[in-house]
Amino acid sequence: MSDTKADTKAELKKLFVKTYGCQMNVYDSERMVEALGGSGYAEVSSPEEADMILLNTCHIREKAAEKVYSDLGRYKDIKLANPNLKIGVAGCVAQAEGEEIIRRQPMVDLVVGSQAYHRLPELEAKVGNGVTAVDTDFPEIDKFTAMPNRPKARRAPAAFLTVQEGCDKFCAFCVVPYTRGAEVSRPADRVLREAQDLVERGVREITLLGQNVNAYHGQASGGSKDTWGLAKLIRNLAKVDGLERIRFTTSHPNDMEDDLIAAHGDCEKLMPYLHLPVQSGSNKILKAMNRKHTAEQYIRLMERMREARPDMALSGDFIVGFPGETEQDFEDTMALVREVGYASAYSFKYSPRPGTPAAEKDDKMVEHDVAMERLHRLQALITEQQYAFQESMVGRDVSVLFEKKGRLEGQMIGKSEYLHAVHAPVEVVAIGDIRTVRITQSKTNSLEGKLID
């Protein structure tokens, strides 16, 4: 029996996965590893020791495809040293580029789009037979239905769970509708089962993911033809024994419905943190972006969130230098940031995405130096607000889910309900414990505190 186990272990192939971009790609990479596990692969941390390298790519940021090609070039020597090494490209760049990836990098063996990665085992088998495999279809049977049950290995205390994919909004700057397709929501039963499975493996906090997660309308639990919105899904997830925290990201202002706002006030397990991108404070620019909401509507929505949960930590996204943006348009964005008061936010200089409507507005492009100067001003204001919010935590008691050991002896690190990283010297705390910490100091991007329970 021991010889059989040793032989099985020896036959395991090694898989290295590099993940780019968003939390959904992190979730997708986990599922890819699980899918290839059935073909005898075990994940490793180094490309040099791998039998297969898989890049799970993102197409949101500027020159995303070039970054992938650059990384592929770095693997050329590994491939030369190991001709049996398989190299695959998955995700949104794969969806957008398709066979162009093979043309530009002939050493790539397989390309699989963001909606077809459940087919990885059969694509890998084709490569094993000497065939270059490309699959960028949008299958009729969704990947979640086709994926095998998740293995029962112990998990970290916080996990991602995709509940919705795709987007129907068609913002002028965004490639998501073209790389992820139309909005699709997973049936509620499947989400609840996967959540229960995660909890059984040690997960205490789940972040629900979607390109437009608050547009979730999944088939109701129990086989009903009705649908659940995100609020109802959250309320039912809150009934899962052992699941202590629920979050969701990323949302669109137009889908922040009344019951979801109310859930932040009356669902104890839903954390007081909301990431709600606005992109600009100028109504002219919002219209050009095809956002279909005004700055005033967004500000009122944020007010309603704070009415439901006064201690809410708010986060957002901003694009600076969108084609046609004037200094007054930018000042409108600065005014909105001052009005809302963010705990954190992400900001970027506009960069065109090929195939999107905004990419055709070359005549309205803002000069690079002007856009960068505006970006620095916006980031300075956001940083000021972030530090102010962190300082407001000093002296307060927060609930911390401890996730890992810190760099210092006897130190643990976890996340507060407001998504702050919290460091605390502790003697007897296990990973996965949720404990009360009194904040004693605000650092650059984290908080320090002491255990009080």
Side-chain angles (χ1 to χ4, degrees):
M1 181 66 71
S2 60
D3 289 342
T4 302
K5 288 182 177 178
D7 291 344
T8 301
K9 186 174 181 180
E11 290 170 4
L12 282 175
K13 295 171 284 187
K14 297 174 182 178
L15 171 67
F16 172 77
V17 179
K18 180 171 182 177
T19 305
Y20 306 70
C22 66
Q23 298 99 323
M24 188 174 290
N25 269 15
V26 174
Y27 173 88
D28 285 349
S29 289
E30 291 177 358
R31 303 311 309 264
M32 292 177 193
V33 171
E34 292 163 3
L36 287 167
S39 299
Y41 281 91
E43 191 174 13
V44 295
S45 59
S46 168
E48 286 78 11
E49 59 181 311
D51 298 298
M52 181 174 180
I53 295 173
L54 186 62
L55 307 185
N56 187 18
T57 61
C58 175
H59 209 286
I60 293 297
R61 301 288 165 241
E62 185 175 10
K63 299 180 181 177
E66 294 308 314
K67 170 66 174 171
V68 173
Y69 290 119
S70 175
D71 286 349
L72 286 170
R74 295 190 182 96
Y75 299 137
K76 187 171 292 185
D77 289 343
I78 303 176
K79 180 83 166 181
L80 289 173
N82 179 14
N84 293 323
L85 172 68
K86 300 170 185 174
I87 297 180
V89 180
C92 291
V93 171
Q95 191 73 49
E97 300 273 315
E99 294 187 0
E100 175 69 7
I101 295 173
I102 303 292
R103 189 190 68 78
R104 289 187 57 178
Q105 278 288 6
M107 71 175 187
V108 172
D109 299 292
L110 70 89
V111 175
V112 58
S114 50
Q115 300 306 315
Y117 65 69
H118 58 286
R119 295 175 175 171
L120 266 171
E122 60 188 85
L123 296 175
E124 187 269 348
K126 287 182 179 179
V127 172
N129 292 324
V131 178
T132 300
V134 178
D135 189 341
T136 55
D137 290 343
F138 285 84
E140 291 184 13
I141 299 177
D142 74 84
K143 61 192 178 190
F144 301 108
T145 302
M147 288 294 290
N149 292 331
R150 307 195 73 164
K152 295 296 182 183
R154 190 75 178 171
R155 287 292 303 260
F160 297 126
L161 174 51
T162 294
V163 301
Q164 180 272 343
E165 281 197 293
C167 187
D168 296 341
K169 296 294 187 289
F170 288 92
C171 296
F173 52 82
C174 187
V175 297
V176 166
Y178 311 103
T179 58
R180 289 277 184 169
E183 289 178 2
V184 177
S185 296
R186 297 179 65 187
D189 274 344
R190 294 179 194 161
V191 174
L192 293 171
R193 281 200 301 271
E194 189 167 341
Q196 181 66 57
D197 175 76
L198 289 168
V199 170
E200 289 172 1
R201 292 190 287 140
V203 170
R204 304 197 72 187
E205 174 182 299
I206 288 177
T207 300
L208 307 177
L209 300 180
Q211 267 87 28
N212 191 22
V213 69
N214 59 337
Y216 176 85
H217 281 89
Q219 182 180 342
S221 178
S224 169
K225 292 184 179 180
D226 295 335
T227 59
W228 287 4
L230 185 62
K232 190 164 185 178
L233 179 66
I234 288 170
R235 293 183 193 280
N236 279 271
L237 284 167
K239 298 175 185 177
V240 175
D241 189 33
L243 177 59
E244 303 298 333
R245 292 177 160 194
I246 302 169
R247 305 183 190 273
F248 62 89
T249 195
T250 290
S251 302
H252 193 286
N254 291 4
D255 293 310
M256 191 59 65
E257 297 177 349
D258 292 347
D259 59 345
L260 186 54
I261 295 172
H264 280 276
D266 59 35
C267 183
E268 185 177 348
K269 292 185 178 181
L270 182 57
M271 294 295 96
Y273 175 92
L274 175 67
H275 181 70
L276 190 63
V278 62
Q279 307 300 357
S280 175
S282 162
N283 287 335
K284 183 193 82 177
I285 296 300
L286 288 171
K287 184 176 181 180
M289 289 177 167
N290 196 35
R291 291 289 290 174
K292 295 186 172 64
H293 62 79
T294 66
E296 293 77 18
Q297 289 169 336
Y298 179 86
I299 290 170
R300 175 55 187 149
L301 181 56
M302 293 305 221
E303 291 171 347
R304 291 184 64 201
M305 294 303 307
R306 286 199 168 111
E307 289 168 2
R309 183 74 190 254
D311 64 336
M312 178 75 71
L314 298 174
S315 174
D317 283 352
F318 294 89
I319 294 174
V320 172
F322 189 80
E325 182 188 73
T326 64
E327 181 64 21
Q328 183 57 56
D329 294 324
F330 174 71
E331 286 298 335
D332 289 344
T333 295
M334 295 287 280
L336 182 143
V337 173
R338 294 188 187 98
E339 177 78 14
V340 172
Y342 289 93
S344 64
Y346 303 92
S347 53
F348 310 93
K349 184 181 79 70
Y350 169 77
S351 59
R353 302 269 73 80
T356 60
E360 301 174 4
K361 298 181 179 181
D362 290 344
D363 58 324
K364 295 184 178 181
M365 287 291 289
V366 177
E367 291 183 10
H368 172 79
D369 290 347
V370 173
M372 289 305 299
E373 188 273 337
R374 291 174 184 170
L375 179 62
H376 292 154
R377 283 157 57 195
L378 174 61
Q379 290 177 338
L381 177 58
I382 289 170
T383 300
E384 178 185 318
Q385 292 187 347
Q386 175 189 329
Y387 289 170
F389 189 79
Q390 288 183 188
E391 286 290 342
S392 74
M393 293 287 120
V394 176
R396 290 181 56 179
D397 295 345
V398 299
S399 172
V400 176
L401 171 61
F402 285 100
E403 299 180 3
K404 60 183 179 180
K405 293 181 179 180
R407 289 177 296 176
L408 304 179
E409 185 70 26
Q411 185 187 63
M412 294 283 285
I413 302 174
K415 288 289 197 306
S416 76
E417 56 265 67
Y418 305 102
L419 208 59
H420 287 129
V422 178
H423 300 71
V426 293
E427 294 181 0
V428 186
V429 168
I431 290 175
D433 283 355
I434 298 177
R435 303 287 290 273
T436 302
V437 174
R438 182 162 296 158
I439 302 303
T440 57
Q441 190 175 3
S442 172
K443 296 285 195 175
T444 302
N445 290 301
S446 64
L447 302 172
E448 286 191 3
K450 59 181 181 181
L451 206 64
I452 65 168
D453 73 345

mmCIF file with all atom_site columns, all heavy atoms in Angstrom, residues 429-449:
data_model
loop_
_atom_site.group_PDB
_atom_site.id
_atom_site.type_symbol
_atom_site.label_atom_id
_atom_site.label_alt_id
_atom_site.label_comp_id
_atom_site.label_asym_id
_atom_site.label_entity_id
_atom_site.label_seq_id
_atom_site.pdbx_PDB_ins_code
_atom_site.Cartn_x
_atom_site.Cartn_y
_atom_site.Cartn_z
_atom_site.occupancy
_atom_site.B_iso_or_equiv
_atom_site.pdbx_formal_charge
_atom_site.auth_seq_id
_atom_site.auth_comp_id
_atom_site.auth_asym_id
_atom_site.auth_atom_id
_atom_site.pdbx_PDB_model_num
ATOM 1   N N   . VAL A 1 429 ? -3.832  33.369 20.132 1.00 0.00 ? 429 VAL A N   1
ATOM 2   C CA  . VAL A 1 429 ? -4.837  33.626 19.101 1.00 0.00 ? 429 VAL A CA  1
ATOM 3   C C   . VAL A 1 429 ? -4.541  32.706 17.929 1.00 0.00 ? 429 VAL A C   1
ATOM 4   O O   . VAL A 1 429 ? -3.402  32.610 17.470 1.00 0.00 ? 429 VAL A O   1
ATOM 5   C CB  . VAL A 1 429 ? -4.830  35.097 18.635 1.00 0.00 ? 429 VAL A CB  1
ATOM 6   C CG1 . VAL A 1 429 ? -5.663  35.263 17.378 1.00 0.00 ? 429 VAL A CG1 1
ATOM 7   C CG2 . VAL A 1 429 ? -5.369  36.010 19.728 1.00 0.00 ? 429 VAL A CG2 1
ATOM 8   N N   . ALA A 1 430 ? -5.559  32.032 17.429 1.00 0.00 ? 430 ALA A N   1
ATOM 9   C CA  . ALA A 1 430 ? -5.390  31.145 16.283 1.00 0.00 ? 430 ALA A CA  1
ATOM 10  C C   . ALA A 1 430 ? -5.828  31.862 15.007 1.00 0.00 ? 430 ALA A C   1
ATOM 11  O O   . ALA A 1 430 ? -6.672  32.768 15.047 1.00 0.00 ? 430 ALA A O   1
ATOM 12  C CB  . ALA A 1 430 ? -6.215  29.872 16.479 1.00 0.00 ? 430 ALA A CB  1
ATOM 13  N N   . ILE A 1 431 ? -5.243  31.447 13.891 1.00 0.00 ? 431 ILE A N   1
ATOM 14  C CA  . ILE A 1 431 ? -5.706  31.956 12.601 1.00 0.00 ? 431 ILE A CA  1
ATOM 15  C C   . ILE A 1 431 ? -7.169  31.562 12.438 1.00 0.00 ? 431 ILE A C   1
ATOM 16  O O   . ILE A 1 431 ? -7.548  30.411 12.616 1.00 0.00 ? 431 ILE A O   1
ATOM 17  C CB  . ILE A 1 431 ? -4.846  31.379 11.464 1.00 0.00 ? 431 ILE A CB  1
ATOM 18  C CG1 . ILE A 1 431 ? -3.435  31.977 11.527 1.00 0.00 ? 431 ILE A CG1 1
ATOM 19  C CG2 . ILE A 1 431 ? -5.485  31.658 10.100 1.00 0.00 ? 431 ILE A CG2 1
ATOM 20  C CD1 . ILE A 1 431 ? -2.462  31.383 10.528 1.00 0.00 ? 431 ILE A CD1 1
ATOM 21  N N   . GLY A 1 432 ? -7.989  32.547 12.122 1.00 0.00 ? 432 GLY A N   1
ATOM 22  C CA  . GLY A 1 432 ? -9.434  32.326 12.007 1.00 0.00 ? 432 GLY A CA  1
ATOM 23  C C   . GLY A 1 432 ? -10.215 32.830 13.201 1.00 0.00 ? 432 GLY A C   1
ATOM 24  O O   . GLY A 1 432 ? -11.446 32.911 13.142 1.00 0.00 ? 432 GLY A O   1
ATOM 25  N N   . ASP A 1 433 ? -9.524  33.184 14.288 1.00 0.00 ? 433 ASP A N   1
ATOM 26  C CA  . ASP A 1 433 ? -10.218 33.755 15.451 1.00 0.00 ? 433 ASP A CA  1
ATOM 27  C C   . ASP A 1 433 ? -10.687 35.169 15.143 1.00 0.00 ? 433 ASP A C   1
ATOM 28  O O   . ASP A 1 433 ? -10.005 35.928 14.441 1.00 0.00 ? 433 ASP A O   1
ATOM 29  C CB  . ASP A 1 433 ? -9.295  33.799 16.669 1.00 0.00 ? 433 ASP A CB  1
ATOM 30  C CG  . ASP A 1 433 ? -9.126  32.451 17.344 1.00 0.00 ? 433 ASP A CG  1
ATOM 31  O OD1 . ASP A 1 433 ? -9.818  31.499 16.916 1.00 0.00 ? 433 ASP A OD1 1
ATOM 32  O OD2 . ASP A 1 433 ? -8.316  32.355 18.277 1.00 0.00 ? 433 ASP A OD2 1
ATOM 33  N N   . ILE A 1 434 ? -11.829 35.539 15.674 1.00 0.00 ? 434 ILE A N   1
ATOM 34  C CA  . ILE A 1 434 ? -12.323 36.916 15.601 1.00 0.00 ? 434 ILE A CA  1
ATOM 35  C C   . ILE A 1 434 ? -12.316 37.464 17.023 1.00 0.00 ? 434 ILE A C   1
ATOM 36  O O   . ILE A 1 434 ? -13.014 36.955 17.899 1.00 0.00 ? 434 ILE A O   1
ATOM 37  C CB  . ILE A 1 434 ? -13.740 36.977 14.995 1.00 0.00 ? 434 ILE A CB  1
ATOM 38  C CG1 . ILE A 1 434 ? -13.728 36.442 13.562 1.00 0.00 ? 434 ILE A CG1 1
ATOM 39  C CG2 . ILE A 1 434 ? -14.257 38.420 15.017 1.00 0.00 ? 434 ILE A CG2 1
ATOM 40  C CD1 . ILE A 1 434 ? -15.101 36.399 12.908 1.00 0.00 ? 434 ILE A CD1 1
ATOM 41  N N   . ARG A 1 435 ? -11.506 38.509 17.230 1.00 0.00 ? 435 ARG A N   1
ATOM 42  C CA  . ARG A 1 435 ? -11.328 39.044 18.576 1.00 0.00 ? 435 ARG A CA  1
ATOM 43  C C   . ARG A 1 435 ? -11.462 40.568 18.552 1.00 0.00 ? 435 ARG A C   1
ATOM 44  O O   . ARG A 1 435 ? -11.285 41.208 17.505 1.00 0.00 ? 435 ARG A O   1
ATOM 45  C CB  . ARG A 1 435 ? -9.949  38.655 19.110 1.00 0.00 ? 435 ARG A CB  1
ATOM 46  C CG  . ARG A 1 435 ? -9.682  37.146 19.124 1.00 0.00 ? 435 ARG A CG  1
ATOM 47  C CD  . ARG A 1 435 ? -10.446 36.432 20.205 1.00 0.00 ? 435 ARG A CD  1
ATOM 48  N NE  . ARG A 1 435 ? -9.911  36.777 21.520 1.00 0.00 ? 435 ARG A NE  1
ATOM 49  C CZ  . ARG A 1 435 ? -8.893  36.147 22.098 1.00 0.00 ? 435 ARG A CZ  1
ATOM 50  N NH1 . ARG A 1 435 ? -8.287  35.148 21.460 1.00 0.00 ? 435 ARG A NH1 1
ATOM 51  N NH2 . ARG A 1 435 ? -8.478  36.492 23.304 1.00 0.00 ? 435 ARG A NH2 1
ATOM 52  N N   . THR A 1 436 ? -11.714 41.133 19.707 1.00 0.00 ? 436 THR A N   1
ATOM 53  C CA  . THR A 1 436 ? -11.826 42.588 19.840 1.00 0.00 ? 436 THR A CA  1
ATOM 54  C C   . THR A 1 436 ? -10.453 43.186 20.110 1.00 0.00 ? 436 THR A C   1
ATOM 55  O O   . THR A 1 436 ? -9.720  42.728 20.997 1.00 0.00 ? 436 THR A O   1
ATOM 56  C CB  . THR A 1 436 ? -12.781 42.965 20.978 1.00 0.00 ? 436 THR A CB  1
ATOM 57  O OG1 . THR A 1 436 ? -14.057 42.394 20.712 1.00 0.00 ? 436 THR A OG1 1
ATOM 58  C CG2 . THR A 1 436 ? -12.927 44.479 21.082 1.00 0.00 ? 436 THR A CG2 1
ATOM 59  N N   . VAL A 1 437 ? -10.103 44.204 19.337 1.00 0.00 ? 437 VAL A N   1
ATOM 60  C CA  . VAL A 1 437 ? -8.815  44.885 19.459 1.00 0.00 ? 437 VAL A CA  1
ATOM 61  C C   . VAL A 1 437 ? -9.063  46.375 19.654 1.00 0.00 ? 437 VAL A C   1
ATOM 62  O O   . VAL A 1 437 ? -9.873  46.974 18.936 1.00 0.00 ? 437 VAL A O   1
ATOM 63  C CB  . VAL A 1 437 ? -7.950  44.654 18.198 1.00 0.00 ? 437 VAL A CB  1
ATOM 64  C CG1 . VAL A 1 437 ? -6.670  45.493 18.251 1.00 0.00 ? 437 VAL A CG1 1
ATOM 65  C CG2 . VAL A 1 437 ? -7.608  43.178 18.054 1.00 0.00 ? 437 VAL A CG2 1
ATOM 66  N N   . ARG A 1 438 ? -8.389  46.959 20.625 1.00 0.00 ? 438 ARG A N   1
ATOM 67  C CA  . ARG A 1 438 ? -8.450  48.424 20.817 1.00 0.00 ? 438 ARG A CA  1
ATOM 68  C C   . ARG A 1 438 ? -7.314  49.055 20.028 1.00 0.00 ? 438 ARG A C   1
ATOM 69  O O   . ARG A 1 438 ? -6.140  48.749 20.229 1.00 0.00 ? 438 ARG A O   1
ATOM 70  C CB  . ARG A 1 438 ? -8.346  48.790 22.293 1.00 0.00 ? 438 ARG A CB  1
ATOM 71  C CG  . ARG A 1 438 ? -8.457  50.294 22.569 1.00 0.00 ? 438 ARG A CG  1
ATOM 72  C CD  . ARG A 1 438 ? -8.797  50.542 24.026 1.00 0.00 ? 438 ARG A CD  1
ATOM 73  N NE  . ARG A 1 438 ? -10.130 49.983 24.328 1.00 0.00 ? 438 ARG A NE  1
ATOM 74  C CZ  . ARG A 1 438 ? -10.530 49.656 25.563 1.00 0.00 ? 438 ARG A CZ  1
ATOM 75  N NH1 . ARG A 1 438 ? -9.716  49.813 26.594 1.00 0.00 ? 438 ARG A NH1 1
ATOM 76  N NH2 . ARG A 1 438 ? -11.745 49.178 25.750 1.00 0.00 ? 438 ARG A NH2 1
ATOM 77  N N   . ILE A 1 439 ? -7.641  49.942 19.099 1.00 0.00 ? 439 ILE A N   1
ATOM 78  C CA  . ILE A 1 439 ? -6.645  50.556 18.219 1.00 0.00 ? 439 ILE A CA  1
ATOM 79  C C   . ILE A 1 439 ? -5.845  51.599 19.002 1.00 0.00 ? 439 ILE A C   1
ATOM 80  O O   . ILE A 1 439 ? -6.408  52.492 19.638 1.00 0.00 ? 439 ILE A O   1
ATOM 81  C CB  . ILE A 1 439 ? -7.308  51.198 16.991 1.00 0.00 ? 439 ILE A CB  1
ATOM 82  C CG1 . ILE A 1 439 ? -8.103  50.150 16.203 1.00 0.00 ? 439 ILE A CG1 1
ATOM 83  C CG2 . ILE A 1 439 ? -6.262  51.850 16.094 1.00 0.00 ? 439 ILE A CG2 1
ATOM 84  C CD1 . ILE A 1 439 ? -7.293  48.961 15.743 1.00 0.00 ? 439 ILE A CD1 1
ATOM 85  N N   . THR A 1 440 ? -4.529  51.464 18.917 1.00 0.00 ? 440 THR A N   1
ATOM 86  C CA  . THR A 1 440 ? -3.636  52.370 19.643 1.00 0.00 ? 440 THR A CA  1
ATOM 87  C C   . THR A 1 440 ? -2.854  53.302 18.735 1.00 0.00 ? 440 THR A C   1
ATOM 88  O O   . THR A 1 440 ? -2.365  54.338 19.183 1.00 0.00 ? 440 THR A O   1
ATOM 89  C CB  . THR A 1 440 ? -2.631  51.552 20.473 1.00 0.00 ? 440 THR A CB  1
ATOM 90  O OG1 . THR A 1 440 ? -1.890  50.667 19.603 1.00 0.00 ? 440 THR A OG1 1
ATOM 91  C CG2 . THR A 1 440 ? -3.349  50.734 21.539 1.00 0.00 ? 440 THR A CG2 1
ATOM 92  N N   . GLN A 1 441 ? -2.740  52.944 17.445 1.00 0.00 ? 441 GLN A N   1
ATOM 93  C CA  . GLN A 1 441 ? -1.914  53.755 16.560 1.00 0.00 ? 441 GLN A CA  1
ATOM 94  C C   . GLN A 1 441 ? -2.324  53.554 15.112 1.00 0.00 ? 441 GLN A C   1
ATOM 95  O O   . GLN A 1 441 ? -2.701  52.454 14.698 1.00 0.00 ? 441 GLN A O   1
ATOM 96  C CB  . GLN A 1 441 ? -0.432  53.383 16.736 1.00 0.00 ? 441 GLN A CB  1
ATOM 97  C CG  . GLN A 1 441 ? 0.537   54.319 16.032 1.00 0.00 ? 441 GLN A CG  1
ATOM 98  C CD  . GLN A 1 441 ? 1.989   53.961 16.344 1.00 0.00 ? 441 GLN A CD  1
ATOM 99  O OE1 . GLN A 1 441 ? 2.264   52.981 17.035 1.00 0.00 ? 441 GLN A OE1 1
ATOM 100 N NE2 . GLN A 1 441 ? 2.928   54.755 15.847 1.00 0.00 ? 441 GLN A NE2 1
ATOM 101 N N   . SER A 1 442 ? -2.246  54.632 14.326 1.00 0.00 ? 442 SER A N   1
ATOM 102 C CA  . SER A 1 442 ? -2.489  54.567 12.883 1.00 0.00 ? 442 SER A CA  1
ATOM 103 C C   . SER A 1 442 ? -1.163  54.626 12.161 1.00 0.00 ? 442 SER A C   1
ATOM 104 O O   . SER A 1 442 ? -0.356  55.540 12.379 1.00 0.00 ? 442 SER A O   1
ATOM 105 C CB  . SER A 1 442 ? -3.382  55.733 12.449 1.00 0.00 ? 442 SER A CB  1
ATOM 106 O OG  . SER A 1 442 ? -3.476  55.777 11.033 1.00 0.00 ? 442 SER A OG  1
ATOM 107 N N   . LYS A 1 443 ? -0.925  53.639 11.306 1.00 0.00 ? 443 LYS A N   1
ATOM 108 C CA  . LYS A 1 443 ? 0.289   53.608 10.486 1.00 0.00 ? 443 LYS A CA  1
ATOM 109 C C   . LYS A 1 443 ? -0.060  54.072 9.069  1.00 0.00 ? 443 LYS A C   1
ATOM 110 O O   . LYS A 1 443 ? -1.199  54.452 8.778  1.00 0.00 ? 443 LYS A O   1
ATOM 111 C CB  . LYS A 1 443 ? 0.852   52.182 10.459 1.00 0.00 ? 443 LYS A CB  1
ATOM 112 C CG  . LYS A 1 443 ? 1.299   51.676 11.821 1.00 0.00 ? 443 LYS A CG  1
ATOM 113 C CD  . LYS A 1 443 ? 2.612   52.302 12.228 1.00 0.00 ? 443 LYS A CD  1
ATOM 114 C CE  . LYS A 1 443 ? 3.257   51.556 13.370 1.00 0.00 ? 443 LYS A CE  1
ATOM 115 N NZ  . LYS A 1 443 ? 4.596   52.076 13.719 1.00 0.00 ? 443 LYS A NZ  1
ATOM 116 N N   . THR A 1 444 ? 0.906   53.965 8.138  1.00 0.00 ? 444 THR A N   1
ATOM 117 C CA  . THR A 1 444 ? 0.687   54.461 6.781  1.00 0.00 ? 444 THR A CA  1
ATOM 118 C C   . THR A 1 444 ? -0.487  53.753 6.103  1.00 0.00 ? 444 THR A C   1
ATOM 119 O O   . THR A 1 444 ? -1.376  54.407 5.565  1.00 0.00 ? 444 THR A O   1
ATOM 120 C CB  . THR A 1 444 ? 1.959   54.280 5.926  1.00 0.00 ? 444 THR A CB  1
ATOM 121 O OG1 . THR A 1 444 ? 3.039   54.975 6.556  1.00 0.00 ? 444 THR A OG1 1
ATOM 122 C CG2 . THR A 1 444 ? 1.736   54.829 4.523  1.00 0.00 ? 444 THR A CG2 1
ATOM 123 N N   . ASN A 1 445 ? -0.487  52.427 6.136  1.00 0.00 ? 445 ASN A N   1
ATOM 124 C CA  . ASN A 1 445 ? -1.569  51.687 5.484  1.00 0.00 ? 445 ASN A CA  1
ATOM 125 C C   . ASN A 1 445 ? -2.154  50.616 6.397  1.00 0.00 ? 445 ASN A C   1
ATOM 126 O O   . ASN A 1 445 ? -2.695  49.613 5.920  1.00 0.00 ? 445 ASN A O   1
ATOM 127 C CB  . ASN A 1 445 ? -1.069  51.033 4.188  1.00 0.00 ? 445 ASN A CB  1
ATOM 128 C CG  . ASN A 1 445 ? -0.780  52.052 3.106  1.00 0.00 ? 445 ASN A CG  1
ATOM 129 O OD1 . ASN A 1 445 ? -1.673  52.803 2.705  1.00 0.00 ? 445 ASN A OD1 1
ATOM 130 N ND2 . ASN A 1 445 ? 0.459   52.095 2.647  1.00 0.00 ? 445 ASN A ND2 1
ATOM 131 N N   . SER A 1 446 ? -2.046  50.812 7.685  1.00 0.00 ? 446 SER A N   1
ATOM 132 C CA  . SER A 1 446 ? -2.536  49.813 8.636  1.00 0.00 ? 446 SER A CA  1
ATOM 133 C C   . SER A 1 446 ? -2.765  50.444 10.001 1.00 0.00 ? 446 SER A C   1
ATOM 134 O O   . SER A 1 446 ? -2.442  51.628 10.205 1.00 0.00 ? 446 SER A O   1
ATOM 135 C CB  . SER A 1 446 ? -1.551  48.647 8.756  1.00 0.00 ? 446 SER A CB  1
ATOM 136 O OG  . SER A 1 446 ? -0.315  49.109 9.294  1.00 0.00 ? 446 SER A OG  1
ATOM 137 N N   . LEU A 1 447 ? -3.301  49.647 10.906 1.00 0.00 ? 447 LEU A N   1
ATOM 138 C CA  . LEU A 1 447 ? -3.536  50.080 12.285 1.00 0.00 ? 447 LEU A CA  1
ATOM 139 C C   . LEU A 1 447 ? -2.836  49.116 13.235 1.00 0.00 ? 447 LEU A C   1
ATOM 140 O O   . LEU A 1 447 ? -2.622  47.955 12.910 1.00 0.00 ? 447 LEU A O   1
ATOM 141 C CB  . LEU A 1 447 ? -5.041  50.086 12.590 1.00 0.00 ? 447 LEU A CB  1
ATOM 142 C CG  . LEU A 1 447 ? -5.938  50.960 11.719 1.00 0.00 ? 447 LEU A CG  1
ATOM 143 C CD1 . LEU A 1 447 ? -7.409  50.697 12.029 1.00 0.00 ? 447 LEU A CD1 1
ATOM 144 C CD2 . LEU A 1 447 ? -5.599  52.432 11.897 1.00 0.00 ? 447 LEU A CD2 1
ATOM 145 N N   . GLU A 1 448 ? -2.497  49.620 14.419 1.00 0.00 ? 448 GLU A N   1
ATOM 146 C CA  . GLU A 1 448 ? -1.951  48.784 15.465 1.00 0.00 ? 448 GLU A CA  1
ATOM 147 C C   . GLU A 1 448 ? -2.879  48.841 16.662 1.00 0.00 ? 448 GLU A C   1
ATOM 148 O O   . GLU A 1 448 ? -3.534  49.857 16.907 1.00 0.00 ? 448 GLU A O   1
ATOM 149 C CB  . GLU A 1 448 ? -0.537  49.230 15.875 1.00 0.00 ? 448 GLU A CB  1
ATOM 150 C CG  . GLU A 1 448 ? 0.518   48.876 14.866 1.00 0.00 ? 448 GLU A CG  1
ATOM 151 C CD  . GLU A 1 448 ? 1.929   49.083 15.412 1.00 0.00 ? 448 GLU A CD  1
ATOM 152 O OE1 . GLU A 1 448 ? 2.069   49.453 16.599 1.00 0.00 ? 448 GLU A OE1 1
ATOM 153 O OE2 . GLU A 1 448 ? 2.880   48.848 14.659 1.00 0.00 ? 448 GLU A OE2 1
ATOM 154 N N   . GLY A 1 449 ? -2.942  47.743 17.413 1.00 0.00 ? 449 GLY A N   1
ATOM 155 C CA  . GLY A 1 449 ? -3.812  47.731 18.568 1.00 0.00 ? 449 GLY A CA  1
ATOM 156 C C   . GLY A 1 449 ? -3.425  46.658 19.538 1.00 0.00 ? 449 GLY A C   1
ATOM 157 O O   . GLY A 1 449 ? -2.446  45.923 19.353 1.00 0.00 ? 449 GLY A O   1
#
